[in-house]
Amino acid sequence: MVNTVRYARVFGGAVAILVGVSGCAGSAEPCAGVGVVTQVGVFFAQDGYDGLAGASVRLCAHGRCVKDRIPAEDVTSVNLPLPDGIGPDLGTVRFRVTRKGSTKPFIDASTDKRLSHQSDGCGGGAYNGALAFTKEGGLTATVPKSVSDAWIKQVRTAASRRA
């Protein structure tokens, strides 16, 4: 159930962003300003790690943190909402993973991240950004194509199972 909600939220948010950007910008109709969220997220590619289902994941930036459990999946997305009005200079993002039953993180990585402005196509928008963590590359301020492709495939596969 948690995975279903997570996939629906992520997929729904992506659709809302696409509709907001494409629908409002080209329309003569009044704009609803739908779609963009101020946040930072990490795509965690679990390839090369065993037994992470149920592990704790913590993402911190701009004096805020979010904590969650890792589901049994190939790529996990962890998102941290940020305050509206934040600018592009986010600063340091810290990503930690602690195995179930342990108190010490076995992954503890940080990097600086600059956010990008995403327009809602209606005169507004928000700053957001994505990072990735892979066993080979550690925490990177950009998402490699292989990780984003794996994430998209995972979301589509989950959606087709429910259809």
Side-chain angles (χ1 to χ4, degrees):
M1 178 68 168
V2 172
N3 284 342
T4 302
V5 171
R6 178 178 285 157
Y7 290 132
R9 185 179 61 214
V10 170
F11 192 70
V15 169
I17 289 169
L18 291 174
V19 168
V21 171
S22 63
C24 289
S27 174
E29 296 295 315
C31 182
V34 176
V36 296
V37 178
T38 303
Q39 69 179 5
V40 65
V42 173
F43 290 98
F44 175 33
Q46 296 178 40
D47 188 32
Y49 295 104
D50 293 327
L52 290 183
S56 171
V57 61
R58 185 174 172 102
L59 177 62
C60 299
H62 199 69
R64 297 171 180 251
C65 295
V66 65
K67 187 175 179 179
D68 204 350
R69 294 282 174 192
I70 296 177
E73 58 190 10
D74 294 333
V75 180
T76 298
S77 174
V78 183
N79 295 302
L80 174 63
L82 296 169
D84 289 333
I86 191 171
D89 298 319
L90 179 61
T92 301
V93 175
R94 187 171 185 186
F95 179 74
R96 289 181 281 184
V97 177
T98 305
R99 290 192 186 274
K100 192 174 181 179
S102 180
T103 57
K104 184 178 179 181
F106 80 97
I107 294 174
D108 190 350
S110 60
T111 192
D112 288 337
K113 176 68 179 171
R114 187 165 171 83
L115 300 177
S116 299
H117 187 266
Q118 183 177 11
S119 172
D120 64 3
C122 307
Y127 282 92
N128 51 49
L131 301 96
F133 186 92
T134 63
K135 190 168 188 175
E136 308 81 39
L139 186 62
T140 59
T142 59
V143 180
K145 183 169 177 11
S146 61
V147 173
S148 62
D149 288 349
W151 170 254
I152 290 168
K153 180 181 177 186
Q154 179 176 288
V155 170
R156 286 182 179 157
T157 300
S160 68
R161 283 188 201 139
R162 288 186 295 278

